[in-house]
Amino acid sequence: GDSVTQMEGPVTLSEEAFLTINCTYTATGYPSLFWYVQYPGEGLQLLLKATKADDKGSNKGFEATYRKETTSFHLEKGSVQVSDSAVYFCALSAGNNRKLIWGLGTSLAVNP
Amino acid sequence: DSGVTQTPKHLITATGQRVTLRCSPRSGDLSVYWYQQSLDQGLQFLIQYYNGEERAKGNILERFSAQQFPDLHSELNLSSLELGDSALYFCASSGTSGGVSTDTQYFGPGTRLTVL
């Protein structure tokens, strides 16, 4: 069945460092791909999405490109801030019901 | 603010009890999804409703049930609760295009259930 694998955390970075969180997927058909973020004590917020191959999603300095050839959707940010400390989830949506299938989440801690 | 509301925010109850979690989707959204987030299993899809009808089922236990009402709010009922049911339960909603759900889901703040 469909699945999402993302790199395990926790990831600890210094402020202004470059961030990459790897995400790969297995799916039949053509899924949409998402990154959601969960700040401490809060719910899930959509960070960015891409709906077809070679699409780039971007928001708040974060970017991810839908790579069909490598079945990947890696999250990147050029310069992280302390306020980016959160758990990041990669997910895919497939089928008519559009249910989300999730990776296990990657915890990011950014130190000043 | 996503526009999706969930009540209550926290729920503490005992094993064997039954609880009801409530969700109101964004205005105009017909699809409601329920997810469970637990430490050992991560985020899992439970069930989806579309305009009052069940559309898809995931890893939902037989002790759990849900429904969507004519005003589109949804309730998730959990019964015969066990310690392992302690988790964060999220509701999400999405819009419609051409009679099917669109792919972006907006999440409520969640209900944290603690079973003692």
Side-chain angles (χ1 to χ4, degrees), chain A residues 32 36 49 97-98 100, chain B residues 33 35 37 48 103-105:
Chain A
S32 295
Y36 279 84
K49 73 173 192 178
N97 58 46
R98 308 290 192 186
L100 287 171
Chain B
Y33 301 78
Y35 294 88
Q37 184 179 30
Q48 179 209 8
D103 60 11
T104 300
Q105 295 178 27

Side-chain angles (χ1 to χ4, degrees), chain B residues 27-47:
Chain B
S27 177
D29 283 357
L30 300 182
S31 266
V32 169
Y33 301 78
W34 287 96
Y35 294 88
Q36 180 194 58
Q37 184 179 30
S38 62
L39 283 175
D40 55 345
Q41 304 222 31
L43 273 157
Q44 291 198 88
F45 167 70
L46 295 178
I47 197 164

Side-chain angles (χ1 to χ4, degrees), chain A residues 31-34 36 38 41-46 49-51 87 89 93-104, chain B residues 9 31 33 35 37 41-45 48 55-58 88 90 94 100-110:
Chain A
S32 295
L33 301 173
F34 303 83
Y36 279 84
Q38 187 174 29
E42 297 187 14
L44 293 156
Q45 298 179 27
L46 176 66
K49 73 173 192 178
T51 57
V87 180
F89 292 92
S93 162
N96 287 337
N97 58 46
R98 308 290 192 186
K99 69 179 184 185
L100 287 171
I101 295 169
W102 301 86
L104 291 178
Chain B
K9 195 161 184 166
S31 266
Y33 301 78
Y35 294 88
Q37 184 179 30
Q41 304 222 31
L43 273 157
Q44 291 198 88
F45 167 70
Q48 179 209 8
R55 276 284 175 99
K57 250 182 174 176
L88 199 46
F90 286 109
S94 68
V100 296
S101 303
T102 57
D103 60 11
T104 300
Q105 295 178 27
Y106 297 90
F107 282 76

Side-chain angles (χ1 to χ4, degrees), chain A:
Chain A
D2 297 349
S3 66
V4 174
T5 302
Q6 62 181 104
M7 65 186 278
E8 290 187 29
V11 173
T12 303
L13 295 173
S14 297
E15 207 164 23
E16 298 184 1
F18 184 84
L19 169 71
T20 300
I21 301 178
N22 291 337
C23 172
T24 57
Y25 67 90
T26 302
T28 54
Y30 304 95
S32 295
L33 301 173
F34 303 83
W35 279 100
Y36 279 84
V37 58
Q38 187 174 29
Y39 296 102
E42 297 187 14
L44 293 156
Q45 298 179 27
L46 176 66
L47 182 59
L48 53 83
K49 73 173 192 178
T51 57
K52 61 183 188 299
D54 300 324
D55 266 3
K56 178 187 278 189
S58 61
N59 186 25
K60 299 181 182 178
F62 291 90
E63 293 182 341
T65 301
Y66 190 145
R67 301 281 187 208
K68 196 168 186 302
E69 63 277 13
T70 54
T71 61
S72 65
F73 193 54
H74 304 322
L75 182 68
E76 296 183 338
K77 187 175 186 184
S79 175
V80 293
Q81 305 300 311
V82 172
S83 57
D84 294 327
S85 298
V87 180
Y88 292 81
F89 292 92
C90 185
L92 71 81
S93 162
N96 287 337
N97 58 46
R98 308 290 192 186
K99 69 179 184 185
L100 287 171
I101 295 169
W102 301 86
L104 291 178
T106 301
S107 176
L108 169 66
V110 180
N111 297 319

